Amino acid sequence: MLGRTHFMGGALAGLALAKSMGLPLGEVWAVTGIAGFSALLPDVDTPKSTAGNVLFPLAFVLNRTLGHRGATHSLLAVLMLALAGAFIPGVKTIYLFAFVAGYLSHLLLDFLNPEGVPLLYPFGGRFSLGLFTTGTIFDNLLTVVLFAILFAGLKF
């Protein structure tokens, strides 16, 4: 999926989390934003991505050592980042949950791609439903649908 699709999917996951917890509007926006941006992070393993452009040196190293859709697209990565976040002083638990929700949304969306994701890395195996190829009309349509749902859910 494209970065914009991942951002919308992550933001929608954050919105669902915030709404399910009955958070006030300011917190809804914060959780939605955190989840949207964290949904971009698994693609830090390629310099061609939004996260890879921002964190180019890291993206270059990760791409050379692990390749795209490798370790950063696994449940192990989610667990390691969540644990690391839990030890950052002052981080609110809801923001950590938002980060995890966004990151997981990325894995879910890439699971729809024929290339799949190595959810159980390093134990091998890729998982895929093979429904949408990145950059196709279906990817673009999914972005629009996710945006519409997100827009309706935020209720400006």
Side-chain angles (χ1 to χ4, degrees):
M1 300 298 136
L2 296 172
R4 62 180 172 255
T5 310
H6 283 303
F7 182 85
M8 291 299 160
L12 190 56
L15 177 63
L17 174 65
K19 293 282 188 165
S20 73
M21 297 189 72
L23 297 176
L25 186 59
E27 291 283 323
V28 169
W29 281 94
V31 167
T32 300
I34 290 167
F37 282 107
S38 72
L40 299 174
L41 285 181
D43 281 340
V44 73
D45 62 3
T46 177
K48 296 177 184 178
S49 70
T50 304
N53 280 313
V54 173
L55 302 167
F56 180 77
L58 176 62
F60 182 80
V61 170
L62 288 174
N63 190 261
R64 291 289 181 163
T65 58
L66 302 172
H68 181 49
R69 287 202 187 158
T72 63
H73 286 69
S74 70
L75 296 175
L76 178 62
V78 176
L79 177 63
M80 290 173 53
L81 289 168
L83 286 173
F87 288 103
I88 298 173
V91 172
K92 293 174 90 173
T93 304
I94 187 61
Y95 295 158
L96 186 57
F97 286 163
F99 179 89
V100 169
Y103 204 101
L104 286 172
S105 76
H106 184 110
L107 302 184
L108 176 64
L109 287 171
D110 277 357
F111 174 72
L112 301 176
N113 193 293
E115 198 175 320
V117 287
L119 290 176
L120 301 179
Y121 179 93
F123 301 109
R126 296 183 87 74
F127 299 87
S128 168
L129 287 180
L131 299 177
F132 301 104
T133 301
T134 301
T136 63
I137 187 70
F138 298 109
D139 190 359
N140 292 323
L141 182 61
L142 183 58
T143 301
V144 171
V145 168
L146 292 172
F147 178 77
I149 296 168
L150 180 66
F151 185 80
L154 284 172
K155 295 181 187 172
F156 296 92

